[in-house]
């Protein structure tokens, strides 16, 4: 495969149900799309399956797409796999992650809609880096609020954003009312960083808040990962019956997994694949959260979406979950989880970083800590250690980005990283107790 696909593929026509409508903070049903370019709105709600990639975006994709895929034989041996493990590597671009795929598409659509500055929140920094570079590509300004603890751990992520002209703020910051009102000790919350970005973007009509993970259109853009993987596996004469990706909000997992779901529903695959989302045990929304309406940020002023969530105000504990620290899963991923179309498993930071180190020493590619969660889950599944999963053909795992700017996390692993602290059940209950359950409203 020498050329990336020419179209994105939507899974919406294959679900068999409609996604629950968003709700405004006052409880009104309906889409909340203020400031969102019309084409991104269409990509989120239309039953259209294939969406042609605009040529300016396609030209930029060709710099690193198709992203490589290979059989990770040495990693297989290291983890005791009994079936092949295939790795799809998304770290070969300036952002170092899959995030650049949707960042370029979104910058294109926002620029065409007349916006001149994009504002965002970022956890581990991959999305902030991706958006900064994408804004530079289309001549736009960029402002990023990055989780403060993450920025201190990974200062060179900040350097990369500033290199591309972005204005960077550690969150919570004194720049916004939300930041000033937030306890400085709560510096591990992506919900707060996103909330600050939402508030700041409202200060100028030429600014737009932009997010890169949980929205349905961003998952659509990431479908290139799975579309390429299907073609590349066919080129190798290989078959997989399990697909694994890590989940913060869901764009990486959705990107690699949902094209397999669509292809299976369309009768294009001989062997359907189980789709497994690997999340952090520090933010276990899919495995320990509730399916409810919750805010996507900590301001309480934005839309409420139907999601698996541990609560937007749940205090995420200090960990190396990196970009997986978001409190909720995308509404598309959440609906598929609710309908039994995907499954999920939680991975602790020690196991994730150990899997990342094993991949680095065997395959000579250093994964981001987020990707370590997927690699740990893939190792469990391929070696028969994950209950409920017995693959017979092979496992595909998405290595969502490189870890070259995440070396402090690996340093701490080498120094004897403390054992993981499980999420506090009482804190989980308290953070979700007042959220309206989706089933009580939508009849799901």
């Amino acid at each position: 495969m020498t050329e990336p696909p020419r179209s994105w593929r939507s899974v919406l026509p294959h679900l068999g149900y409609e996604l629950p409508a968003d709700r405004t903070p006052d409880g009104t049903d309906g889409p909340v799309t203020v400031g969102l370019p019309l084409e991104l709105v269409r990509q989120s709600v239309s039953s259209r399956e294939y969406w042609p990639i605009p040529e300016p975006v396609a030209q930029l994709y060709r710099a690193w797409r198709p992203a490589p895929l290979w059989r990770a034989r040495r990693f297989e041996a290291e983890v005791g796999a009994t079936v092949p493990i295939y790795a799809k590597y998304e770290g070969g671009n300036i952002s170092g992650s899959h995030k650049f795929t949707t960042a370029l598409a979104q910058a294109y659509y926002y620029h065409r809609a007349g916006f001149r500055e994009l504002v965002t929140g970022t956890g581990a920094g991959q999305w902030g880096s991706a958006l900064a570079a994408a804004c530079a590509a289309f001549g736009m300004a960029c402002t990023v609020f990055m989780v403060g603890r993450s920025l201190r751990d990974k200062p060179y992520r900040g350097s990369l954003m500033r290199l591309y002209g972005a204005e960077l703020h550690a969150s919570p910051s004194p720049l916004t009312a939300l930041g000033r009102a937030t306890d400085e000790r709560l510096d591990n919350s992506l919900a707060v960083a996103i909330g600050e970005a939402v508030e700041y973007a409202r200060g100028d009509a030429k600014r737009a808040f932009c997010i890169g993970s949980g929205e349905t259109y961003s998952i659509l853009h990431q479908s290139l990962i799975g579309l390429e993987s299907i073609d590349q596996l066919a080129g190798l004469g290989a078959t997989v019956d399990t697909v694994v990706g890590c989940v913060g909000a869901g764009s990486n997992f959705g990107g690699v997994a949902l094209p397999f779901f669509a292809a299976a529903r369309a009768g294009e695959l001989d062997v359907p694949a189980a789709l497994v989302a690997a999340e952090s045990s520090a933010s276990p929304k899919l495995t320990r959260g509730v399916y409810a309406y919750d805010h996507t940020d900590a301001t309480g002023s934005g839309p409420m979406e139907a999601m698996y969530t541990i609560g937007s105000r749940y205090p995420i504990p200090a960990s190396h979950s990196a970009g997986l620290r978001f409190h909720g899963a995308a509404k598309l991923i959440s609906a598929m989880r609710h309908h039994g179309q995907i499954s999920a498993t939680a991975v602790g930071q020690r196991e994730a970083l150990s899997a990342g180190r094993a991949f680095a020493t065997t395959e000579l590619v250093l994964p981001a800590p987020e990707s370590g969660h997927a690699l740990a889950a893939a190792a469990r599944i391929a070696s028969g250690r994950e209950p409920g999963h017995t693959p017979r053909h092979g496992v595909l795992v998405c290595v969502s980005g490189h870890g070259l700017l995440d070396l402090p996390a690996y340093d701490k692993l080498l120094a004897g990283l403390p054992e993981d602290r499980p999420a506090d059940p009482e804190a989980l209950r308290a953070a979700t107790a007042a959220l309206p359950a989706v089933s009580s409203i939508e009849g799901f």
Side-chain angles (χ1 to χ4, degrees):
M1 184 180 186
T2 58
E3 287 286 325
R6 297 184 179 182
S7 298
W8 300 301
R9 187 176 190 177
S10 173
V11 75
L12 296 181
H14 297 285
L15 292 179
Y17 52 86
E18 297 291 330
L19 296 181
D22 294 349
R23 298 171 66 82
T24 60
D26 63 6
T28 304
D29 287 346
V32 183
T33 58
V34 176
L36 193 64
L38 184 57
E39 192 69 1
L40 295 182
V41 175
R42 292 193 185 105
Q43 291 172 3
S44 297
V45 300
S46 173
S47 60
R48 179 177 179 178
E49 185 167 5
Y50 290 97
W51 296 81
I53 300 170
E55 184 54 29
V57 178
Q59 288 180 0
L60 292 165
Y61 281 169
R62 294 186 190 111
W64 86 98
R65 305 213 71 99
L69 179 149
W70 69 94
R71 181 173 174 183
R73 294 179 183 273
R74 286 160 54 97
F75 182 68
E76 290 172 17
E78 178 71 13
V79 301
T82 58
V83 295
I85 298 175
Y86 297 91
K88 176 67 168 173
Y89 179 56
E90 289 292 317
N93 60 70
I94 188 57
S95 76
S97 86
H98 71 290
K99 300 285 191 179
F100 202 36
T101 302
T102 188
L104 287 170
Q106 291 190 48
Y108 167 80
Y109 287 121
Y110 276 101
H111 185 266
R112 196 175 67 170
F115 292 100
R116 293 297 173 260
E117 179 180 355
L118 295 182
V119 186
T120 198
T122 190
Q126 288 95 331
W127 170 241
S129 302
L131 191 64
C135 284
F138 287 99
M140 303 177 75
C142 182
T143 299
V144 179
F145 292 85
M146 183 169 174
V147 170
R149 187 171 302 175
S150 183
L151 181 56
R152 287 196 299 275
D153 285 344
K154 296 187 288 185
Y156 291 114
R157 274 288 170 193
S159 300
L160 183 58
M161 293 178 224
R162 287 187 289 266
L163 178 69
Y164 278 95
E167 183 179 317
L168 179 65
H169 303 279
S171 177
S173 80
L175 194 63
T176 68
L178 174 64
R180 292 189 294 271
T182 300
D183 190 323
E184 290 182 358
R185 292 172 296 179
L186 298 177
D187 60 352
N188 196 42
S189 172
L190 181 53
V192 171
I194 291 173
E196 288 204 83
V198 169
E199 179 185 330
Y200 183 76
R202 289 179 178 145
D204 190 320
K206 288 296 183 181
R207 292 178 191 152
F209 170 70
C210 180
I211 197 67
S213 185
E215 298 308 315
T216 304
Y217 53 81
S218 65
I219 296 174
L220 171 70
H221 303 153
Q222 298 294 358
S223 66
L224 290 187
I225 303 173
L227 293 172
E228 289 177 3
S229 297
I230 290 170
D231 285 346
Q232 289 166 319
L233 288 167
L236 294 174
T239 300
V240 298
D241 48 8
T242 305
V243 178
V244 182
C246 60
V247 170
S251 67
N252 161 68
F253 169 73
V256 69
L258 301 195
F260 282 84
F261 181 87
R265 286 294 181 98
E268 299 165 6
L269 296 179
D270 294 333
V271 178
L275 311 178
V276 183
E279 65 180 4
S280 166
S281 61
S283 183
K285 50 265 184 178
L286 290 171
T287 54
R288 297 182 62 186
V290 299
Y291 192 37
Y293 275 94
D294 197 3
H295 296 283
T296 56
D297 63 77
T299 66
S301 61
M304 298 183 75
E305 295 185 357
M307 64 174 78
Y308 274 92
T309 177
I310 55 174
S312 61
R313 295 191 178 276
Y314 177 79
I316 307 295
S319 72
H320 295 290
S321 57
L324 307 189
R325 74 189 82 211
F326 193 54
H327 65 277
K331 61 183 175 182
L332 172 56
I333 302 302
S334 294
M336 295 184 73
R337 168 69 163 154
H338 184 72
H339 284 271
Q341 294 167 328
I342 67 170
S343 63
T345 189
V347 177
Q349 61 178 350
R350 179 187 289 275
E351 184 183 6
L353 290 170
S354 296
R357 184 188 183 194
F359 194 82
T361 57
T362 56
E363 300 299 319
L364 306 183
V365 170
L366 181 66
E370 297 92 339
S371 305
H373 293 73
L375 287 164
R380 289 183 199 164
I381 293 167
S383 60
R385 294 183 286 112
E386 180 71 15
H389 294 281
T390 53
R392 298 174 56 193
H393 298 279
V395 176
L396 170 66
V397 58
C398 185
V399 181
S400 59
H402 70 60
L404 298 177
L405 296 177
D406 300 279
L407 290 172
Y410 285 102
D411 273 342
K412 291 178 181 178
L413 174 71
L414 296 174
L417 188 71
E419 290 293 336
D420 300 294
R421 292 181 298 168
D424 178 14
E426 289 302 321
L428 289 172
R429 278 193 286 271
T432 58
L435 298 177
V438 176
S439 58
S440 66
I441 298 170
E442 302 291 337
F444 260 53

